[in-house]
Short mmCIF file of all heavy atoms in Angstrom, two decimals:
data_model
loop_
_atom_site.label_atom_id
_atom_site.label_comp_id
_atom_site.label_asym_id
_atom_site.label_seq_id
_atom_site.Cartn_x
_atom_site.Cartn_y
_atom_site.Cartn_z
N PHE C 591 18.14 19.35 -8.67
CA PHE C 591 17.25 18.93 -9.74
C PHE C 591 15.86 18.58 -9.21
O PHE C 591 14.85 18.78 -9.88
CB PHE C 591 17.84 17.71 -10.46
CG PHE C 591 17.03 17.23 -11.63
CD1 PHE C 591 17.19 17.80 -12.89
CD2 PHE C 591 16.10 16.21 -11.49
CE1 PHE C 591 16.44 17.37 -13.98
CE2 PHE C 591 15.34 15.76 -12.57
CZ PHE C 591 15.52 16.35 -13.82
N ALA C 592 15.79 18.07 -7.98
CA ALA C 592 14.52 17.62 -7.40
C ALA C 592 13.71 18.73 -6.75
O ALA C 592 12.52 18.56 -6.48
CB ALA C 592 14.78 16.52 -6.37
N VAL C 593 14.32 19.88 -6.51
CA VAL C 593 13.65 20.95 -5.75
C VAL C 593 12.39 21.47 -6.44
O VAL C 593 11.34 21.60 -5.80
CB VAL C 593 14.64 22.09 -5.44
CG1 VAL C 593 13.90 23.31 -4.87
CG2 VAL C 593 15.70 21.61 -4.45
N PRO C 594 12.40 21.78 -7.76
CA PRO C 594 11.16 22.25 -8.38
C PRO C 594 10.01 21.27 -8.26
O PRO C 594 8.85 21.69 -8.10
CB PRO C 594 11.56 22.47 -9.84
CG PRO C 594 13.02 22.76 -9.79
CD PRO C 594 13.53 21.87 -8.71
N SER C 595 10.28 19.98 -8.30
CA SER C 595 9.22 18.98 -8.15
C SER C 595 8.59 19.06 -6.77
O SER C 595 7.35 19.02 -6.62
CB SER C 595 9.77 17.57 -8.38
OG SER C 595 10.16 17.39 -9.73
N LEU C 596 9.41 19.20 -5.74
CA LEU C 596 8.89 19.32 -4.38
C LEU C 596 8.07 20.61 -4.24
O LEU C 596 6.99 20.61 -3.65
CB LEU C 596 10.04 19.30 -3.39
CG LEU C 596 9.67 19.50 -1.91
CD1 LEU C 596 8.69 18.43 -1.44
CD2 LEU C 596 10.93 19.49 -1.04
N GLN C 597 8.58 21.69 -4.78
CA GLN C 597 7.88 22.97 -4.67
C GLN C 597 6.52 22.93 -5.37
O GLN C 597 5.52 23.40 -4.82
CB GLN C 597 8.75 24.08 -5.28
CG GLN C 597 10.01 24.38 -4.47
CD GLN C 597 10.95 25.33 -5.18
OE1 GLN C 597 10.98 25.38 -6.42
NE2 GLN C 597 11.73 26.08 -4.43
N VAL C 598 6.48 22.35 -6.56
CA VAL C 598 5.22 22.30 -7.32
C VAL C 598 4.18 21.45 -6.59
O VAL C 598 3.00 21.79 -6.56
CB VAL C 598 5.49 21.77 -8.75
CG1 VAL C 598 4.20 21.33 -9.42
CG2 VAL C 598 6.16 22.83 -9.59
N LEU C 599 4.60 20.34 -6.02
CA LEU C 599 3.66 19.52 -5.25
C LEU C 599 3.07 20.31 -4.09
O LEU C 599 1.86 20.28 -3.86
CB LEU C 599 4.36 18.27 -4.73
CG LEU C 599 4.71 17.19 -5.77
CD1 LEU C 599 5.50 16.07 -5.12
CD2 LEU C 599 3.47 16.65 -6.45
N CYS C 600 3.90 21.03 -3.36
CA CYS C 600 3.42 21.82 -2.22
C CYS C 600 2.48 22.94 -2.68
O CYS C 600 1.48 23.23 -2.01
CB CYS C 600 4.60 22.40 -1.45
SG CYS C 600 5.62 21.15 -0.62
N GLU C 601 2.78 23.55 -3.80
CA GLU C 601 1.96 24.66 -4.31
C GLU C 601 0.58 24.19 -4.77
O GLU C 601 -0.34 25.00 -4.89
CB GLU C 601 2.68 25.35 -5.46
CG GLU C 601 3.92 26.14 -5.03
CD GLU C 601 4.81 26.52 -6.20
OE1 GLU C 601 4.43 26.17 -7.36
OE2 GLU C 601 5.86 27.12 -5.97
N ASN C 602 0.45 22.89 -5.04
CA ASN C 602 -0.80 22.38 -5.60
C ASN C 602 -1.53 21.40 -4.67
O ASN C 602 -2.32 20.57 -5.13
CB ASN C 602 -0.51 21.71 -6.95
CG ASN C 602 -0.21 22.72 -8.04
OD1 ASN C 602 -1.12 23.21 -8.70
ND2 ASN C 602 1.07 23.04 -8.21
N GLY C 603 -1.29 21.53 -3.40
CA GLY C 603 -2.06 20.76 -2.43
C GLY C 603 -1.58 19.35 -2.17
O GLY C 603 -2.32 18.54 -1.59
N PHE C 604 -0.34 19.03 -2.56
CA PHE C 604 0.20 17.68 -2.34
C PHE C 604 1.44 17.73 -1.46
O PHE C 604 2.42 17.02 -1.72
CB PHE C 604 0.52 17.01 -3.68
CG PHE C 604 -0.66 16.79 -4.56
CD1 PHE C 604 -0.84 17.58 -5.70
CD2 PHE C 604 -1.60 15.82 -4.29
CE1 PHE C 604 -1.94 17.38 -6.53
CE2 PHE C 604 -2.70 15.61 -5.10
CZ PHE C 604 -2.88 16.40 -6.23
N THR C 605 1.43 18.57 -0.44
CA THR C 605 2.58 18.67 0.46
C THR C 605 2.89 17.30 1.06
O THR C 605 2.02 16.67 1.66
CB THR C 605 2.31 19.67 1.58
OG1 THR C 605 2.07 20.96 0.99
CG2 THR C 605 3.49 19.77 2.53
N PRO C 606 4.12 16.82 0.89
CA PRO C 606 4.45 15.48 1.39
C PRO C 606 4.33 15.36 2.91
O PRO C 606 4.59 16.32 3.65
CB PRO C 606 5.91 15.30 0.94
CG PRO C 606 6.06 16.20 -0.23
CD PRO C 606 5.22 17.40 0.09
N ALA C 607 3.93 14.19 3.35
CA ALA C 607 3.88 13.90 4.79
C ALA C 607 5.28 13.82 5.36
O ALA C 607 5.50 14.11 6.54
CB ALA C 607 3.14 12.59 5.02
N ALA C 608 6.23 13.45 4.51
CA ALA C 608 7.63 13.34 4.94
C ALA C 608 8.53 13.42 3.72
O ALA C 608 8.11 13.20 2.59
CB ALA C 608 7.86 12.04 5.70
N ILE C 609 9.79 13.73 3.99
CA ILE C 609 10.82 13.81 2.97
C ILE C 609 11.91 12.79 3.29
O ILE C 609 12.29 12.63 4.45
CB ILE C 609 11.46 15.23 2.95
CG1 ILE C 609 10.41 16.30 2.66
CG2 ILE C 609 12.61 15.29 1.95
CD1 ILE C 609 9.81 16.23 1.29
N VAL C 610 12.41 12.13 2.26
CA VAL C 610 13.59 11.28 2.40
C VAL C 610 14.68 11.88 1.53
O VAL C 610 14.47 12.14 0.33
CB VAL C 610 13.30 9.83 1.97
CG1 VAL C 610 14.57 8.98 2.14
CG2 VAL C 610 12.15 9.24 2.77
N THR C 611 15.84 12.12 2.11
CA THR C 611 16.94 12.71 1.36
C THR C 611 18.26 12.13 1.86
O THR C 611 18.29 11.34 2.82
CB THR C 611 16.93 14.25 1.48
OG1 THR C 611 17.88 14.81 0.57
CG2 THR C 611 17.24 14.70 2.90
N GLY C 612 19.35 12.50 1.22
CA GLY C 612 20.64 11.98 1.63
C GLY C 612 21.13 12.62 2.92
O GLY C 612 20.64 13.67 3.34
N PRO C 613 22.10 11.99 3.57
CA PRO C 613 22.67 12.56 4.80
C PRO C 613 23.39 13.88 4.51
O PRO C 613 23.81 14.13 3.37
CB PRO C 613 23.67 11.49 5.26
CG PRO C 613 23.27 10.23 4.54
CD PRO C 613 22.70 10.68 3.23
N ASP C 614 23.50 14.71 5.52
CA ASP C 614 24.32 15.92 5.39
C ASP C 614 25.76 15.50 5.09
O ASP C 614 26.25 14.50 5.64
CB ASP C 614 24.29 16.74 6.68
CG ASP C 614 22.90 17.30 6.98
OD1 ASP C 614 22.00 17.10 6.13
OD2 ASP C 614 22.74 17.92 8.03
N ARG C 615 26.43 16.26 4.22
CA ARG C 615 27.81 15.93 3.86
C ARG C 615 28.71 17.16 4.04
O ARG C 615 28.24 18.29 3.98
CB ARG C 615 27.89 15.48 2.39
CG ARG C 615 27.07 14.24 2.07
CD ARG C 615 27.58 13.01 2.78
NE ARG C 615 26.90 11.80 2.32
CZ ARG C 615 26.90 10.66 2.99
NH1 ARG C 615 27.51 10.56 4.16
NH2 ARG C 615 26.27 9.60 2.52
N ARG C 616 29.98 16.90 4.21
CA ARG C 616 30.95 18.00 4.27
C ARG C 616 31.21 18.48 2.86
O ARG C 616 31.56 17.70 1.98
CB ARG C 616 32.25 17.55 4.95
CG ARG C 616 32.04 17.17 6.41
CD ARG C 616 33.35 16.93 7.13
NE ARG C 616 33.12 16.55 8.51
CZ ARG C 616 32.90 17.41 9.49
NH1 ARG C 616 32.88 18.71 9.23
NH2 ARG C 616 32.70 16.99 10.73
N ARG C 617 31.05 19.79 2.65
CA ARG C 617 31.18 20.35 1.31
C ARG C 617 31.99 21.64 1.37
O ARG C 617 32.12 22.27 2.41
CB ARG C 617 29.80 20.65 0.72
CG ARG C 617 28.92 19.43 0.50
CD ARG C 617 27.56 19.82 -0.07
NE ARG C 617 26.74 18.66 -0.40
CZ ARG C 617 25.95 18.05 0.46
NH1 ARG C 617 25.86 18.48 1.69
NH2 ARG C 617 25.24 16.99 0.08
N GLY C 618 32.53 22.02 0.20
CA GLY C 618 33.24 23.29 0.08
C GLY C 618 34.65 23.22 0.64
O GLY C 618 35.10 22.21 1.18
N ARG C 619 35.35 24.34 0.52
CA ARG C 619 36.75 24.38 0.95
C ARG C 619 36.88 24.22 2.46
O ARG C 619 37.86 23.66 2.95
CB ARG C 619 37.38 25.70 0.51
CG ARG C 619 37.53 25.81 -1.02
CD ARG C 619 38.31 27.03 -1.42
NE ARG C 619 38.50 27.09 -2.87
CZ ARG C 619 39.18 28.04 -3.49
NH1 ARG C 619 39.70 29.05 -2.78
NH2 ARG C 619 39.33 28.02 -4.79
#
């Protein structure tokens, strides 16, 4: 859900200095 917001910021000259996100998790079968 958050990806388009990040992409739009980068496309319009507001590339973040850093990203905060959740830890990698074990997913899938």
Side-chain angles (χ1 to χ4, degrees):
F591 183 85
V593 170
S595 293
L596 177 59
Q597 291 171 332
V598 164
L599 288 175
C600 293
E601 290 166 1
N602 287 272
F604 297 107
T605 299
I609 300 294
V610 180
T611 189
D614 294 357
R615 300 295 187 198
R616 296 189 181 277
R617 297 179 175 87
R619 292 187 177 181

